[in-house]
Amino acid sequence: MKIIVNGETVISDAPDLAALLVELGKSEAKVATSVNEAFVPKTMRSGHALHDGDRIEIVAPRQGG
Amino acid sequence: MPTFYGTEIESRLMLGTAQYPSPAILAEAFRQSGAGIATVSVRREAGGDQAGQDFWALIQELGVAVLPNTAGCHSVREAITTAQMARELFDTNWIKLEVIGHADTLQPDPFGLVDAAAQLTEDGFEVFPYCTEDLVLCERLIEVGCKVLMPWGAPIGTGLGLNNIYGLRSLRAHFPDIPLVIDAGLGLPSQAAHAIELGYDAVLLNTAVAKAGDPVAMAKGFACAVEAGALAYKADPMEARDMAAPSTPVFGKAFL
């Protein structure tokens, strides 16, 4: 399956968002996620199935004004 | 001292965390500023990147309240999703809501701002709206549940100071019980002092400190300025007048 993670194309077989984060080494990181522009809370990542073409955003705390 | 959504903050200075020459200078600038609130953002974290995690550790060491923003969002949906992600990341209902309407001036989109503020308030957020000094816009923001207003002094990053003194003064007069914060556009401590002298509760700045030649000294300068402004406001300043009035008594002057 071809998905877009933070703007970049990724080939993944992760069945859900939680599995994708494990694949990317981010399962323990302080990050928040969205799929197709909708927020997916941490507690809902497991079971949030991913599909071909999904657009996933993974964000972390950053500097801001 | 200002109280935002029931939380009293021991400083009239709110400081951004972007654009500092180094994390160490950021930390020292915060210490010298005495700022009680740090603004932060959420941004993409690349593959093996640990920058976000390192930054979060630094912020926690500062021991200040955290105010996440929705900087760079141009649509209501974008701002709402960003706010939701920020709430989970930073474990706070506070959100500095930015819905940008114009690319050159970074002026808030007043229509999108009210819409987003209403939806976020409904969802349990405590919204700090980055707005203009437009009285009607500010009334609408309060109507949809905002208990703080953050009008710009001037466009973000310009350092132009307070562009519309009349509008800002009018806002203060119309909303005596709403905490008001000047957000954006300040470049010098004197401008911050002026804002507090007008009766504003706090100022929020970033570039003025971070991009100064010596950010730590500038942070201290702003800390002194907001303290001076608060003392002046409390001291009930004299009325300005057009005609000169001698301060030295005329009576008793030698007749020469």
Side-chain angles (χ1 to χ4, degrees):
Chain A
M1 150 180 87
K2 198 185 277 185
I3 54 177
I4 312 290
V5 179
N6 285 353
E8 295 194 1
T9 303
V10 170
I11 306 295
S12 170
D13 291 322
D16 61 18
L17 188 54
L20 177 68
L21 286 173
V22 172
E23 228 176 55
L24 298 173
K26 296 287 179 195
S27 57
E28 300 298 319
K30 189 174 182 63
V31 293
T33 50
S34 71
V35 176
N36 300 332
E37 290 83 48
F39 171 56
V40 179
K42 191 173 185 177
T43 52
M44 305 289 281
R45 286 178 198 156
S46 182
H48 189 106
L50 295 180
H51 305 285
D52 197 51
D54 276 352
R55 297 175 306 280
I56 294 112
E57 292 287 330
I58 302 170
V59 297
R62 279 299 161 86
Q63 294 84 349
Chain B
M1 286 298 172
T3 298
F4 303 120
Y5 291 99
T7 300
E8 186 176 7
I9 301 295
E10 290 301 317
S11 170
R12 296 185 185 277
L13 205 52
M14 299 156 74
L15 202 51
T17 55
Q19 307 185 90
Y20 291 83
S22 72
I25 291 176
L26 183 160
E28 188 54 26
F30 261 83
R31 275 189 283 274
Q32 293 296 327
S33 74
I37 293 177
T39 53
V40 294
S41 73
V42 301
R43 287 293 181 263
R44 287 171 168 174
E45 181 134 288
D49 195 354
Q50 288 297 308
Q53 319 303 314
D54 294 344
F55 172 68
W56 179 235
L58 175 70
I59 293 302
Q60 283 179 302
E61 282 173 23
L62 297 178
V64 296
V66 170
L67 175 60
N69 68 27
T70 63
C73 291
H74 287 252
S75 73
V76 172
R77 186 176 68 171
E78 217 182 346
I80 288 175
T81 302
T82 302
Q84 290 168 327
M85 292 197 287
R87 175 160 67 178
E88 184 178 86
L89 267 184
F90 297 107
D91 195 25
T92 176
N93 287 329
W94 283 10
I95 191 74
K96 177 187 159 181
L97 180 60
E98 294 186 30
V99 182
I100 301 299
H102 195 276
D104 288 338
T105 61
L106 300 180
Q107 178 168 345
D109 168 359
F111 311 102
L113 185 63
V114 172
D115 186 358
Q119 292 189 50
L120 288 169
T121 301
E122 185 72 21
D123 191 23
F125 282 90
E126 293 172 327
V127 177
F128 294 61
Y130 163 61
C131 54
T132 63
E133 70 281 12
D134 186 284
L135 196 53
V136 180
L137 165 62
C138 289
E139 275 178 348
R140 296 285 184 275
L141 288 168
I142 292 168
E143 280 168 17
V144 300
C146 295
K147 293 181 167 54
V148 181
L149 293 171
M150 302 214 299
W152 63 353
I156 296 171
T158 61
L160 291 172
L162 307 179
N163 267 353
N164 181 1
I165 300 295
Y166 165 77
L168 295 171
R169 199 193 298 275
S170 171
L171 212 56
R172 179 71 286 173
H174 277 85
F175 305 115
D177 302 322
I178 296 282
L180 297 179
V181 180
I182 293 292
D183 177 10
L186 300 185
L188 288 168
S190 55
Q191 298 160 349
H194 193 182
I196 305 297
E197 286 164 5
L198 291 175
Y200 276 65
D201 297 274
V203 297
L204 197 172
L205 44 114
N206 190 153
T207 313
V209 169
K211 301 302 272 185
D214 183 344
V216 173
M218 191 60 87
K220 195 169 185 179
F222 271 101
C224 295
V226 294
E227 197 180 332
L231 284 168
Y233 179 69
K234 212 172 163 185
D236 187 17
M238 62 168 278
E239 292 283 334
R241 48 182 289 159
D242 289 331
M243 296 298 290
S247 50
T248 303
V250 177
F251 180 77
K253 179 185 176 295
F255 196 75
L256 302 171

